[in-house]
Amino acid sequence: MIRVEVCANSVKDCLIAQSLGAHRIELVSASYLGGLTPNLSVLDIILEKGVVIPIMAMVRPRGGGFCYSNLEKEQMFREAKELLKHGANGLVFGFLTENNEIDWPATEQMIELCNRYDAESVFHRAFDCASNPEYNIQRLIGLGCTRILTSGLASNVKRGAKLIKLFQEKYGQYIEILAGAGITSHNVEKILGKTGVEQIHGTFKKYMKDSTTNRDEVSFAYTDKGDYEEVDSEELMKVLASTRNYEIS
């Protein structure tokens, strides 16, 4: 069975994902920045509303890259602990040094924190910005990391499919390889065929309108596609239908 993880920005996104049969949620805020740490109240409401599929909570204090100061790391670990206390089933994170190597002390500390709460640990697409990918996978396996989210070191999974396939074939029995970046209902079956992965990640989004975003010379728009993002039910249904019909070879 192909598992589908939905990147969710809101309570509504999570309810849509569960109702349509998604297998897992990555809970973030500000997905337009690549995803930041979500608010604890949002997580609380999601659980109160009866969402029971696993929720992986992002731990990321700002946009941009992944080389964090000691102060930012202090914030991240405090947020991480609170997310786990409030019921997150896992954490999504990534630490790099200024030389584009994985920050191993911080990574090990975060994985250990997840283990203490019997939670999953997910190294996100900071992996795609790091040097020495095979060494990194091997060491993440050694640390007991649950999963890696990757586009195969490329701008999207289509361009990185060959490397994702290598990761899956060589290391997939030791660590979960989650393919993400640019997966849609139009390409999902081709991506599955080219990579051999057993799980995919996507926003499957549409853009919504808010009449108060612009007025005269004042604008709070961040894109010309719309005013804010929401999981597109029709798109997610198409992706789920394609994955249900797909047979893993």
Side-chain angles (χ1 to χ4, degrees):
M1 181 182 68
I2 302 296
R3 287 169 287 171
V4 177
E5 178 180 280
V6 175
C7 180
N9 281 275
S10 66
V11 177
K12 184 178 180 181
D13 282 350
C14 293
L15 293 172
I16 291 171
Q18 176 165 279
S19 68
L20 295 179
H23 304 92
R24 189 169 60 231
I25 289 165
E26 181 193 57
L27 182 62
V28 307
S29 64
S31 62
Y32 58 91
L33 292 176
L36 303 181
T37 306
N39 189 288
L40 288 172
S41 296
V42 173
L43 175 59
D44 289 343
I45 296 171
I46 290 165
L47 296 175
E48 289 167 9
K49 293 294 182 182
V51 173
V52 296
I53 60 176
I55 297 172
M56 305 294 117
M58 176 70 75
V59 182
R60 187 168 176 238
R62 58 166 170 79
F66 313 100
C67 181
Y68 301 115
S69 68
N70 289 334
L71 189 59
E72 288 171 325
K73 289 178 188 177
E74 181 180 348
Q75 174 186 336
M76 292 172 74
F77 281 103
R78 183 172 298 192
E79 289 173 336
K81 187 176 292 187
E82 289 302 313
L83 287 163
L84 292 171
K85 286 181 179 178
H86 281 245
N89 302 104
L91 300 178
V92 184
F93 57 89
F95 300 92
L96 300 183
T97 69
E98 61 184 7
N99 297 319
N100 287 86
E101 296 177 348
I102 290 181
D103 179 343
W104 292 110
T107 299
E108 184 171 359
Q109 186 179 344
M110 190 67 83
I111 292 172
E112 288 175 350
L113 176 62
C114 291
N115 290 341
R116 288 204 299 273
Y117 284 84
D118 197 25
E120 296 186 338
S121 50
V122 186
F123 201 96
H124 61 45
R125 288 191 62 218
F127 176 86
D128 293 321
C129 295
S131 307
N132 305 312
E134 288 207 61
Y135 169 79
N136 294 337
I137 292 181
Q138 292 166 8
R139 190 159 177 182
L140 286 168
I141 290 169
L143 292 174
C145 185
T146 307
R147 187 179 307 119
I148 298 170
L149 172 61
T150 179
S151 61
L153 281 63
S155 57
N156 57 58
V157 288
K158 181 179 178 180
R159 295 175 65 87
K162 186 176 181 179
L163 194 54
I164 296 172
K165 180 180 176 70
L166 172 66
F167 294 158
Q168 178 65 35
E169 291 179 346
K170 201 168 181 179
Y171 303 107
Q173 61 182 314
Y174 308 110
I175 191 168
E176 295 178 24
I177 304 298
L178 175 61
I183 296 178
T184 70
S185 60
H186 299 292
N187 66 16
V188 60
E189 291 189 48
K190 287 184 178 179
I191 295 300
L192 291 171
K194 289 181 177 180
T195 63
V197 296
E198 299 177 3
Q199 51 185 301
I200 58 169
H201 166 98
T203 55
F204 313 114
K205 66 187 175 185
K206 62 181 177 180
Y207 287 90
M208 306 297 289
K209 290 291 185 182
D210 180 335
S211 61
T212 65
T213 301
N214 299 282
R215 186 176 186 277
D216 298 331
E217 296 182 7
V218 179
S219 175
F220 289 91
Y222 60 86
T223 176
D224 57 6
K225 296 179 181 179
D227 299 329
Y228 65 97
E229 301 167 21
E230 184 175 287
V231 171
D232 185 337
S233 297
E234 291 186 9
E235 172 69 0
L236 180 55
M237 280 192 289
K238 291 177 183 177
V239 169
L240 288 165
S242 294
T243 58
R244 289 188 189 108
N245 296 328
Y246 186 84
E247 293 185 6
I248 301 173
S249 58

Short mmCIF file of all heavy atoms in Angstrom, two decimals, residues 4-29 38-58 83 87-89 202-205 229-233 236 240:
data_model
loop_
_atom_site.label_atom_id
_atom_site.label_comp_id
_atom_site.label_asym_id
_atom_site.label_seq_id
_atom_site.Cartn_x
_atom_site.Cartn_y
_atom_site.Cartn_z
N VAL A 4 0.09 8.11 1.83
CA VAL A 4 0.06 9.50 1.41
C VAL A 4 0.07 10.41 2.64
O VAL A 4 -0.82 10.31 3.50
CB VAL A 4 -1.19 9.81 0.55
CG1 VAL A 4 -1.23 11.28 0.17
CG2 VAL A 4 -1.20 8.94 -0.70
N GLU A 5 1.08 11.26 2.71
CA GLU A 5 1.19 12.24 3.79
C GLU A 5 0.80 13.61 3.24
O GLU A 5 1.29 14.03 2.20
CB GLU A 5 2.62 12.28 4.33
CG GLU A 5 2.82 13.32 5.42
CD GLU A 5 4.25 13.33 5.95
OE1 GLU A 5 4.57 12.46 6.78
OE2 GLU A 5 5.05 14.19 5.52
N VAL A 6 -0.06 14.31 3.97
CA VAL A 6 -0.55 15.61 3.55
C VAL A 6 0.06 16.70 4.42
O VAL A 6 -0.01 16.63 5.65
CB VAL A 6 -2.09 15.68 3.63
CG1 VAL A 6 -2.58 17.09 3.29
CG2 VAL A 6 -2.71 14.66 2.69
N CYS A 7 0.65 17.70 3.79
CA CYS A 7 1.15 18.86 4.51
C CYS A 7 -0.03 19.78 4.79
O CYS A 7 -0.70 20.27 3.87
CB CYS A 7 2.21 19.59 3.67
SG CYS A 7 2.89 21.05 4.48
N ALA A 8 -0.31 20.00 6.07
CA ALA A 8 -1.50 20.74 6.49
C ALA A 8 -1.12 22.01 7.24
O ALA A 8 -0.25 21.98 8.11
CB ALA A 8 -2.38 19.86 7.37
N ASN A 9 -1.83 23.09 6.92
CA ASN A 9 -1.60 24.38 7.57
C ASN A 9 -2.62 24.71 8.65
O ASN A 9 -2.42 25.64 9.41
CB ASN A 9 -1.68 25.51 6.53
CG ASN A 9 -0.43 25.66 5.71
OD1 ASN A 9 0.51 26.33 6.12
ND2 ASN A 9 -0.41 25.05 4.54
N SER A 10 -3.71 23.97 8.70
CA SER A 10 -4.84 24.37 9.54
C SER A 10 -5.62 23.18 10.05
O SER A 10 -5.43 22.04 9.58
CB SER A 10 -5.78 25.27 8.73
OG SER A 10 -6.39 24.52 7.68
N VAL A 11 -6.53 23.46 10.96
CA VAL A 11 -7.44 22.42 11.46
C VAL A 11 -8.26 21.87 10.29
O VAL A 11 -8.43 20.66 10.15
CB VAL A 11 -8.37 23.00 12.55
CG1 VAL A 11 -9.38 21.94 13.00
CG2 VAL A 11 -7.56 23.51 13.73
N LYS A 12 -8.77 22.77 9.45
CA LYS A 12 -9.58 22.35 8.31
C LYS A 12 -8.81 21.42 7.39
O LYS A 12 -9.33 20.40 6.92
CB LYS A 12 -10.08 23.57 7.54
CG LYS A 12 -11.01 23.21 6.39
CD LYS A 12 -11.53 24.46 5.69
CE LYS A 12 -12.46 24.09 4.53
NZ LYS A 12 -12.96 25.30 3.83
N ASP A 13 -7.54 21.75 7.11
CA ASP A 13 -6.71 20.90 6.26
C ASP A 13 -6.62 19.49 6.84
O ASP A 13 -6.69 18.49 6.11
CB ASP A 13 -5.30 21.48 6.13
CG ASP A 13 -5.22 22.64 5.16
OD1 ASP A 13 -6.20 22.90 4.44
OD2 ASP A 13 -4.16 23.29 5.13
N CYS A 14 -6.44 19.40 8.14
CA CYS A 14 -6.30 18.09 8.79
C CYS A 14 -7.60 17.30 8.70
O CYS A 14 -7.58 16.08 8.48
CB CYS A 14 -5.89 18.26 10.24
SG CYS A 14 -4.24 18.94 10.47
N LEU A 15 -8.73 17.96 8.90
CA LEU A 15 -10.02 17.29 8.81
C LEU A 15 -10.28 16.79 7.39
O LEU A 15 -10.79 15.68 7.19
CB LEU A 15 -11.13 18.23 9.26
CG LEU A 15 -11.11 18.62 10.74
CD1 LEU A 15 -12.14 19.70 11.03
CD2 LEU A 15 -11.36 17.40 11.63
N ILE A 16 -9.90 17.59 6.40
CA ILE A 16 -10.04 17.16 5.00
C ILE A 16 -9.17 15.94 4.74
O ILE A 16 -9.62 14.94 4.16
CB ILE A 16 -9.65 18.30 4.04
CG1 ILE A 16 -10.68 19.44 4.10
CG2 ILE A 16 -9.52 17.78 2.61
CD1 ILE A 16 -10.25 20.69 3.34
N ALA A 17 -7.92 16.01 5.18
CA ALA A 17 -6.98 14.91 4.94
C ALA A 17 -7.50 13.60 5.53
O ALA A 17 -7.49 12.55 4.87
CB ALA A 17 -5.62 15.26 5.53
N GLN A 18 -7.96 13.65 6.77
CA GLN A 18 -8.45 12.42 7.40
C GLN A 18 -9.72 11.92 6.74
O GLN A 18 -9.86 10.71 6.49
CB GLN A 18 -8.70 12.66 8.89
CG GLN A 18 -9.31 11.45 9.59
CD GLN A 18 -9.23 11.51 11.09
OE1 GLN A 18 -8.21 11.21 11.69
NE2 GLN A 18 -10.33 11.92 11.72
N SER A 19 -10.65 12.83 6.44
CA SER A 19 -11.94 12.40 5.89
C SER A 19 -11.79 11.73 4.53
O SER A 19 -12.60 10.87 4.16
CB SER A 19 -12.88 13.61 5.77
OG SER A 19 -12.43 14.52 4.79
N LEU A 20 -10.77 12.10 3.76
CA LEU A 20 -10.58 11.54 2.43
C LEU A 20 -9.71 10.29 2.42
O LEU A 20 -9.60 9.63 1.39
CB LEU A 20 -9.98 12.60 1.50
CG LEU A 20 -10.87 13.82 1.23
CD1 LEU A 20 -10.16 14.81 0.32
CD2 LEU A 20 -12.20 13.39 0.61
N GLY A 21 -9.10 9.98 3.56
CA GLY A 21 -8.35 8.74 3.65
C GLY A 21 -6.84 8.87 3.58
O GLY A 21 -6.15 7.87 3.32
N ALA A 22 -6.31 10.07 3.80
CA ALA A 22 -4.85 10.22 3.87
C ALA A 22 -4.33 9.42 5.06
O ALA A 22 -5.06 9.15 6.02
CB ALA A 22 -4.47 11.69 4.01
N HIS A 23 -3.07 9.06 5.00
CA HIS A 23 -2.50 8.17 6.01
C HIS A 23 -1.75 8.89 7.12
O HIS A 23 -1.56 8.34 8.20
CB HIS A 23 -1.56 7.17 5.34
CG HIS A 23 -2.22 6.39 4.26
ND1 HIS A 23 -2.21 6.79 2.93
CD2 HIS A 23 -2.96 5.25 4.30
CE1 HIS A 23 -2.90 5.92 2.21
NE2 HIS A 23 -3.35 4.98 3.00
N ARG A 24 -1.34 10.13 6.85
CA ARG A 24 -0.52 10.84 7.83
C ARG A 24 -0.56 12.33 7.50
O ARG A 24 -0.78 12.73 6.36
CB ARG A 24 0.92 10.32 7.77
CG ARG A 24 1.84 10.81 8.87
CD ARG A 24 3.14 10.02 8.87
NE ARG A 24 3.88 10.15 7.62
CZ ARG A 24 4.35 9.12 6.92
NH1 ARG A 24 4.18 7.88 7.31
NH2 ARG A 24 5.01 9.33 5.79
N ILE A 25 -0.33 13.15 8.52
CA ILE A 25 -0.33 14.60 8.37
C ILE A 25 1.02 15.15 8.80
O ILE A 25 1.58 14.74 9.83
CB ILE A 25 -1.44 15.25 9.23
CG1 ILE A 25 -2.82 14.93 8.64
CG2 ILE A 25 -1.24 16.75 9.36
CD1 ILE A 25 -3.95 15.21 9.59
N GLU A 26 1.55 16.08 8.00
CA GLU A 26 2.65 16.93 8.47
C GLU A 26 2.03 18.27 8.81
O GLU A 26 1.54 18.98 7.92
CB GLU A 26 3.73 17.10 7.41
CG GLU A 26 4.89 17.98 7.91
CD GLU A 26 5.82 18.44 6.79
OE1 GLU A 26 5.33 19.07 5.84
OE2 GLU A 26 7.02 18.18 6.89
N LEU A 27 2.03 18.61 10.07
CA LEU A 27 1.39 19.85 10.52
C LEU A 27 2.42 20.98 10.58
O LEU A 27 3.44 20.86 11.26
CB LEU A 27 0.77 19.65 11.91
CG LEU A 27 0.03 20.86 12.49
CD1 LEU A 27 -1.16 21.26 11.62
CD2 LEU A 27 -0.42 20.55 13.92
N VAL A 28 2.13 22.07 9.85
CA VAL A 28 3.03 23.21 9.79
C VAL A 28 2.22 24.49 9.90
O VAL A 28 1.00 24.50 9.81
CB VAL A 28 3.81 23.24 8.45
CG1 VAL A 28 4.52 21.92 8.20
CG2 VAL A 28 2.89 23.57 7.27
N SER A 29 2.92 25.58 10.06
CA SER A 29 2.37 26.90 9.77
C SER A 29 3.20 27.47 8.62
O SER A 29 4.30 27.01 8.35
CB SER A 29 2.44 27.82 11.00
OG SER A 29 3.79 28.07 11.36
N PRO A 38 4.07 24.82 14.05
CA PRO A 38 2.66 25.19 14.24
C PRO A 38 2.37 25.61 15.67
O PRO A 38 3.11 25.27 16.61
CB PRO A 38 1.93 23.89 13.91
CG PRO A 38 2.89 22.81 14.30
CD PRO A 38 4.26 23.36 13.96
N ASN A 39 1.26 26.31 15.83
CA ASN A 39 0.80 26.75 17.15
C ASN A 39 0.27 25.56 17.94
O ASN A 39 -0.40 24.69 17.39
CB ASN A 39 -0.30 27.81 16.95
CG ASN A 39 -0.69 28.49 18.24
OD1 ASN A 39 -1.33 27.88 19.09
ND2 ASN A 39 -0.31 29.75 18.37
N LEU A 40 0.57 25.51 19.23
CA LEU A 40 0.09 24.42 20.07
C LEU A 40 -1.43 24.34 20.12
O LEU A 40 -2.01 23.25 20.18
CB LEU A 40 0.65 24.56 21.49
CG LEU A 40 2.15 24.28 21.67
CD1 LEU A 40 2.58 24.66 23.09
CD2 LEU A 40 2.47 22.82 21.39
N SER A 41 -2.09 25.50 20.10
CA SER A 41 -3.55 25.51 20.14
C SER A 41 -4.15 24.83 18.91
O SER A 41 -5.18 24.17 19.00
CB SER A 41 -4.07 26.95 20.24
OG SER A 41 -3.66 27.54 21.45
N VAL A 42 -3.49 25.00 17.76
CA VAL A 42 -3.96 24.33 16.55
C VAL A 42 -3.88 22.82 16.72
O VAL A 42 -4.83 22.09 16.40
CB VAL A 42 -3.14 24.78 15.33
CG1 VAL A 42 -3.50 23.97 14.09
CG2 VAL A 42 -3.35 26.26 15.05
N LEU A 43 -2.77 22.33 17.25
CA LEU A 43 -2.63 20.90 17.50
C LEU A 43 -3.69 20.42 18.48
O LEU A 43 -4.32 19.37 18.27
CB LEU A 43 -1.23 20.60 18.04
CG LEU A 43 -0.95 19.16 18.46
CD1 LEU A 43 -1.17 18.19 17.29
CD2 LEU A 43 0.48 19.01 18.99
N ASP A 44 -3.93 21.18 19.53
CA ASP A 44 -4.95 20.80 20.52
C ASP A 44 -6.32 20.66 19.88
O ASP A 44 -7.04 19.67 20.10
CB ASP A 44 -5.02 21.84 21.64
CG ASP A 44 -3.81 21.82 22.56
OD1 ASP A 44 -3.07 20.82 22.55
OD2 ASP A 44 -3.61 22.81 23.28
N ILE A 45 -6.71 21.63 19.06
CA ILE A 45 -8.03 21.61 18.43
C ILE A 45 -8.14 20.45 17.45
O ILE A 45 -9.18 19.77 17.38
CB ILE A 45 -8.32 22.95 17.72
CG1 ILE A 45 -8.38 24.09 18.74
CG2 ILE A 45 -9.63 22.89 16.95
CD1 ILE A 45 -8.44 25.47 18.12
N ILE A 46 -7.07 20.20 16.69
CA ILE A 46 -7.08 19.07 15.75
C ILE A 46 -7.39 17.77 16.47
O ILE A 46 -8.21 16.96 16.02
CB ILE A 46 -5.71 18.98 15.03
CG1 ILE A 46 -5.54 20.15 14.07
CG2 ILE A 46 -5.57 17.66 14.28
CD1 ILE A 46 -4.11 20.35 13.60
N LEU A 47 -6.75 17.56 17.60
CA LEU A 47 -6.98 16.33 18.36
C LEU A 47 -8.37 16.33 18.99
O LEU A 47 -9.04 15.29 19.02
CB LEU A 47 -5.90 16.18 19.43
CG LEU A 47 -4.47 16.00 18.89
CD1 LEU A 47 -3.45 15.98 20.02
CD2 LEU A 47 -4.36 14.72 18.06
N GLU A 48 -8.82 17.49 19.44
CA GLU A 48 -10.18 17.58 20.01
C GLU A 48 -11.25 17.30 18.97
O GLU A 48 -12.33 16.77 19.29
CB GLU A 48 -10.40 18.98 20.60
CG GLU A 48 -9.61 19.24 21.88
CD GLU A 48 -9.60 20.71 22.26
OE1 GLU A 48 -10.34 21.51 21.63
OE2 GLU A 48 -8.85 21.07 23.19
N LYS A 49 -10.97 17.62 17.72
CA LYS A 49 -11.93 17.40 16.64
C LYS A 49 -11.92 15.96 16.14
O LYS A 49 -12.66 15.62 15.22
CB LYS A 49 -11.63 18.34 15.47
CG LYS A 49 -11.84 19.82 15.77
CD LYS A 49 -13.29 20.15 16.03
CE LYS A 49 -13.48 21.64 16.29
NZ LYS A 49 -14.89 21.98 16.61
N GLY A 50 -11.09 15.14 16.73
CA GLY A 50 -11.14 13.71 16.42
C GLY A 50 -10.20 13.23 15.34
O GLY A 50 -10.40 12.15 14.79
N VAL A 51 -9.18 13.99 15.04
CA VAL A 51 -8.18 13.51 14.07
C VAL A 51 -7.32 12.45 14.75
O VAL A 51 -6.71 12.72 15.79
CB VAL A 51 -7.31 14.67 13.54
CG1 VAL A 51 -6.18 14.14 12.67
CG2 VAL A 51 -8.17 15.65 12.75
N VAL A 52 -7.28 11.28 14.16
CA VAL A 52 -6.57 10.16 14.79
C VAL A 52 -5.42 9.64 13.92
O VAL A 52 -4.61 8.84 14.40
CB VAL A 52 -7.52 8.99 15.11
CG1 VAL A 52 -8.55 9.41 16.15
CG2 VAL A 52 -8.22 8.48 13.85
N ILE A 53 -5.35 10.06 12.64
CA ILE A 53 -4.20 9.64 11.84
C ILE A 53 -2.95 10.33 12.39
O ILE A 53 -3.05 11.41 12.98
CB ILE A 53 -4.40 9.91 10.34
CG1 ILE A 53 -4.61 11.41 10.07
CG2 ILE A 53 -5.56 9.10 9.80
CD1 ILE A 53 -4.71 11.75 8.58
N PRO A 54 -1.78 9.73 12.24
CA PRO A 54 -0.57 10.30 12.84
C PRO A 54 -0.28 11.72 12.39
O PRO A 54 -0.42 12.06 11.22
CB PRO A 54 0.53 9.33 12.38
CG PRO A 54 -0.18 8.05 12.12
CD PRO A 54 -1.51 8.43 11.57
N ILE A 55 0.14 12.55 13.35
CA ILE A 55 0.47 13.95 13.09
C ILE A 55 1.96 14.16 13.36
O ILE A 55 2.43 14.01 14.49
CB ILE A 55 -0.35 14.89 13.97
CG1 ILE A 55 -1.84 14.74 13.64
CG2 ILE A 55 0.09 16.34 13.77
CD1 ILE A 55 -2.75 15.49 14.60
N MET A 56 2.68 14.52 12.30
CA MET A 56 4.08 14.88 12.41
C MET A 56 4.17 16.40 12.45
O MET A 56 3.74 17.08 11.50
CB MET A 56 4.87 14.36 11.20
CG MET A 56 4.75 12.88 10.94
SD MET A 56 5.45 11.85 12.23
CE MET A 56 3.98 10.99 12.79
N ALA A 57 4.67 16.95 13.52
CA ALA A 57 4.71 18.41 13.69
C ALA A 57 6.07 18.97 13.29
O ALA A 57 7.11 18.48 13.73
CB ALA A 57 4.40 18.79 15.14
N MET A 58 6.04 19.99 12.47
CA MET A 58 7.27 20.67 12.05
C MET A 58 7.89 21.42 13.23
O MET A 58 7.19 22.02 14.05
CB MET A 58 6.94 21.66 10.94
CG MET A 58 8.11 22.52 10.48
SD MET A 58 9.35 21.57 9.58
CE MET A 58 8.53 21.35 7.99
N LEU A 83 5.26 20.24 21.76
CA LEU A 83 4.46 19.56 20.74
C LEU A 83 4.26 18.09 21.09
O LEU A 83 3.15 17.54 20.92
CB LEU A 83 5.15 19.69 19.38
CG LEU A 83 5.09 21.07 18.72
CD1 LEU A 83 6.13 21.19 17.61
CD2 LEU A 83 3.69 21.37 18.18
N GLY A 87 0.68 15.91 22.21
CA GLY A 87 0.12 14.78 21.48
C GLY A 87 0.60 14.57 20.06
O GLY A 87 0.06 13.70 19.35
N ALA A 88 1.61 15.32 19.61
CA ALA A 88 2.16 15.05 18.28
C ALA A 88 2.76 13.65 18.26
O ALA A 88 3.38 13.21 19.22
CB ALA A 88 3.23 16.08 17.93
N ASN A 89 2.57 12.96 17.15
CA ASN A 89 3.08 11.58 17.02
C ASN A 89 4.51 11.53 16.52
O ASN A 89 5.12 10.45 16.49
CB ASN A 89 2.19 10.79 16.07
CG ASN A 89 0.74 10.74 16.51
OD1 ASN A 89 -0.10 11.43 15.96
ND2 ASN A 89 0.46 9.94 17.53
N GLY A 202 2.86 15.66 0.06
CA GLY A 202 2.51 16.81 -0.76
C GLY A 202 1.56 17.75 -0.06
O GLY A 202 0.92 17.39 0.94
N THR A 203 1.47 18.97 -0.59
CA THR A 203 0.50 19.93 -0.08
C THR A 203 -0.86 19.77 -0.76
O THR A 203 -1.88 20.06 -0.17
CB THR A 203 0.99 21.37 -0.30
OG1 THR A 203 1.29 21.56 -1.68
CG2 THR A 203 2.24 21.66 0.53
N PHE A 204 -0.84 19.33 -2.02
CA PHE A 204 -2.07 19.10 -2.78
C PHE A 204 -3.02 20.30 -2.61
O PHE A 204 -4.19 20.15 -2.26
CB PHE A 204 -2.75 17.80 -2.33
CG PHE A 204 -1.78 16.65 -2.24
CD1 PHE A 204 -1.49 16.06 -1.02
CD2 PHE A 204 -1.12 16.18 -3.36
CE1 PHE A 204 -0.58 14.99 -0.92
CE2 PHE A 204 -0.21 15.12 -3.29
CZ PHE A 204 0.06 14.53 -2.06
N LYS A 205 -2.50 21.47 -2.85
CA LYS A 205 -3.16 22.69 -2.42
C LYS A 205 -3.90 23.42 -3.53
O LYS A 205 -3.70 23.18 -4.72
CB LYS A 205 -2.13 23.65 -1.83
CG LYS A 205 -1.12 24.16 -2.85
CD LYS A 205 -0.01 24.96 -2.19
CE LYS A 205 1.05 25.36 -3.22
NZ LYS A 205 2.20 26.03 -2.59
N GLU A 229 -3.45 29.43 1.31
CA GLU A 229 -3.47 28.06 0.80
C GLU A 229 -4.39 27.16 1.63
O GLU A 229 -4.52 27.34 2.84
CB GLU A 229 -2.05 27.48 0.81
CG GLU A 229 -1.06 28.28 -0.02
CD GLU A 229 0.38 27.87 0.25
OE1 GLU A 229 0.59 26.74 0.75
OE2 GLU A 229 1.28 28.67 -0.03
N GLU A 230 -4.95 26.17 0.95
CA GLU A 230 -5.79 25.19 1.61
C GLU A 230 -5.68 23.88 0.85
O GLU A 230 -5.46 23.87 -0.37
CB GLU A 230 -7.24 25.67 1.60
CG GLU A 230 -8.23 24.78 2.34
CD GLU A 230 -9.62 25.40 2.40
OE1 GLU A 230 -9.80 26.38 3.16
OE2 GLU A 230 -10.51 24.95 1.64
N VAL A 231 -5.80 22.76 1.55
CA VAL A 231 -5.79 21.46 0.87
C VAL A 231 -6.96 21.40 -0.10
O VAL A 231 -8.11 21.70 0.26
CB VAL A 231 -5.85 20.30 1.89
CG1 VAL A 231 -6.07 18.97 1.17
CG2 VAL A 231 -4.58 20.25 2.72
N ASP A 232 -6.67 21.01 -1.33
CA ASP A 232 -7.68 20.89 -2.38
C ASP A 232 -8.28 19.49 -2.32
O ASP A 232 -7.62 18.50 -2.63
CB ASP A 232 -7.02 21.13 -3.74
CG ASP A 232 -8.00 21.14 -4.89
OD1 ASP A 232 -9.10 20.55 -4.75
OD2 ASP A 232 -7.67 21.71 -5.94
N SER A 233 -9.53 19.39 -1.89
CA SER A 233 -10.18 18.09 -1.73
C SER A 233 -10.17 17.28 -3.01
O SER A 233 -9.90 16.07 -3.00
CB SER A 233 -11.62 18.27 -1.25
OG SER A 233 -11.66 18.89 0.01
N LEU A 236 -6.61 16.01 -3.79
CA LEU A 236 -6.21 14.94 -2.87
C LEU A 236 -6.97 13.65 -3.17
O LEU A 236 -6.38 12.56 -3.13
CB LEU A 236 -6.44 15.37 -1.42
CG LEU A 236 -6.07 14.35 -0.35
CD1 LEU A 236 -4.63 13.88 -0.48
CD2 LEU A 236 -6.33 14.92 1.05
N LEU A 240 -5.15 10.11 -4.01
CA LEU A 240 -5.44 8.90 -3.22
C LEU A 240 -6.00 7.78 -4.11
O LEU A 240 -5.65 6.61 -3.93
CB LEU A 240 -6.43 9.24 -2.10
CG LEU A 240 -5.83 10.07 -0.96
CD1 LEU A 240 -6.93 10.66 -0.09
CD2 LEU A 240 -4.88 9.22 -0.11
#
